[in-house]
Amino acid sequence: MISTDNPACATPQRRLVLFTLTLGIATVVVTFLWNSLHKTDWIGQLLGWNGVLAVGMVNLLFVALVVIYSTVRRDPLIVRSVVACLILPAYAAAVNILTFHAASLEMPLFDATFARWDAALGLDWPAFARWSAEQHVIRTYGIFIYAYWYFLAPLLLIVHAMVRKDLARLERIVGFIVVSGVFTVAIGSLMPAASVFAHHGISDEFARYLNSAVDANYAKVYAAMRNSEPISLMDVAHGTVTFPSHHTLIGVAAILFSMHSLRFALLMVPPSLAMIFLTPTMGGHYFVDLIAGAALAILCFIGINRLARAG
């Protein structure tokens, strides 16, 4: 058993953990309420009620671990670790479902606005797409970095903090994931965009040659989502929020949360930068989406750290 004198156990960031749990639970509740009132059962269609049961079982397992290691085997390090991650399974499922309900708000599309912002910054998306298509390494490996590092980066951050028994950092990482996800969905629902490929007249054949995760056809898929029509999960497996770019947000977070260790940073930074670089073409994002994603990541990182220091 680990001693309670361990600094990692002695200084829980109670305000941060309580805030994270409260916001995570609120996200789950809002998702279920919205789903029950909406004409489309996005939970049943995209996750499946067997999936809901699986997520619930994982959360019950977490609760059981907290009870066991609080009363029977008494290990405050394990308790604090599990409590930090307690809301993640349910929150991750809920916040993704929430993006589909948010799309049905049918807010005005911002494609033209984002394209103008790109142009005002001197950023030529079609030229970048054509250059990317000429690069064999991007066409061959880009989609794998873009798709898989998005999930691996936060997982490695969490595992590394647990292995190092740095529970203060673990609580900040989980808090960042929950807070930044809520902000991403909120902003994305108010400023939606359909397809950078469609807006710039990029053909589906070009998108397939580039091996991108999306193509011009996504505009039709997004229109169906806005109308609450049935869609295939595979059509939106990469996500539904354009602005801000959540891939960029995760990439910047991976960099910020790994800077405490040179060796860990050497593992996290290169693929994170590569994912961010690939986001415009592989994920069908305007350049301003990346700027907004990076800005939101930095703001959430600062906010979470201030909340953590508050005790």
Side-chain angles (χ1 to χ4, degrees):
M1 187 175 75
I2 297 171
S3 170
T4 55
D5 293 333
N6 188 319
C9 305
T11 56
Q13 300 160 133
R14 299 186 188 281
R15 290 186 182 180
L16 173 59
V17 173
L18 181 60
F19 178 77
T20 300
L21 286 171
T22 302
L23 184 59
I25 292 170
T27 303
V28 174
V29 171
V30 168
T31 301
F32 271 93
L33 287 176
W34 200 340
N35 197 78
S36 65
L37 298 173
H38 201 271
K39 62 181 180 179
T40 302
D41 178 13
W42 285 119
I43 292 178
Q45 183 175 327
L46 299 171
L47 184 61
W49 290 101
N50 286 336
V52 173
L53 179 61
V55 172
M57 293 298 291
V58 172
N59 273 108
L60 285 176
L61 174 62
F62 280 17
V63 171
L65 288 174
V66 171
V67 172
I68 291 170
Y69 285 99
S70 296
T71 58
V72 180
R73 300 198 61 177
R74 291 193 178 275
D75 191 324
L77 183 60
I78 292 179
V79 171
R80 188 175 171 189
S81 299
V82 176
V83 168
C85 300
L86 185 62
I87 195 59
L88 273 184
Y91 166 81
V95 78
N96 279 286
I97 297 296
L98 199 58
T99 63
F100 292 88
H101 285 300
S104 67
L105 292 174
E106 298 188 57
M107 301 295 289
L109 294 176
F110 276 72
D111 289 88
T113 300
F114 295 153
R116 284 198 303 271
W117 289 353
D118 277 358
L121 294 170
L123 301 170
D124 189 337
W125 192 94
F128 181 73
R130 289 191 294 270
W131 175 85
S132 297
E134 295 170 357
Q135 313 306 313
H136 174 75
V137 66
I138 291 179
R139 295 198 313 271
T140 306
Y141 302 108
I143 188 62
F144 297 103
I145 297 173
Y146 177 79
Y148 293 115
W149 189 248
Y150 175 71
F151 297 102
L152 280 175
L155 179 61
L156 287 174
L157 289 176
I158 290 171
V159 171
H160 185 264
M162 286 182 170
V163 170
R164 294 291 299 270
K165 300 178 183 178
D166 189 348
L167 301 191
R169 184 159 54 90
L170 174 63
E171 290 163 350
R172 292 196 298 272
I173 291 167
V174 175
F176 176 93
I177 291 172
V178 172
V179 172
S180 64
V182 170
F183 273 111
T184 298
V185 173
I187 296 170
S189 65
L190 297 175
M191 303 177 70
S195 170
V196 65
F197 283 89
H199 180 80
H200 288 294
I202 306 298
S203 69
D204 292 347
E205 290 75 17
F206 179 89
R208 285 193 291 270
Y209 177 73
L210 181 59
N211 199 23
S212 172
V214 297
D215 54 30
N217 185 61
Y218 181 72
K220 300 175 184 177
V221 176
Y222 193 75
M225 257 196 314
R226 284 164 64 84
N227 294 325
S228 301
E229 298 171 3
I231 59 171
S232 167
L233 179 58
M234 294 306 298
D235 289 332
V236 288
H238 70 286
T240 61
V241 175
T242 297
F243 180 95
S245 163
H246 201 250
H247 276 75
T248 300
L249 183 146
I250 291 297
V252 172
I255 294 170
L256 293 173
F257 279 109
S258 65
M259 297 309 292
H260 65 285
S261 166
L262 177 60
R263 284 191 294 182
F264 191 47
L266 289 174
L267 169 66
M268 300 296 292
V269 172
S272 297
L273 290 176
M275 181 176 70
I276 294 169
F277 178 77
L278 293 164
T279 293
T281 49
M282 292 296 111
H285 280 275
Y286 297 91
F287 285 109
V288 291
D289 299 344
L290 278 68
I291 296 171
L296 181 58
I298 294 170
L299 289 174
C300 288
F301 182 79
I302 293 172
I304 287 297
N305 279 309
R306 286 187 175 180
L307 184 59
R309 286 195 294 270

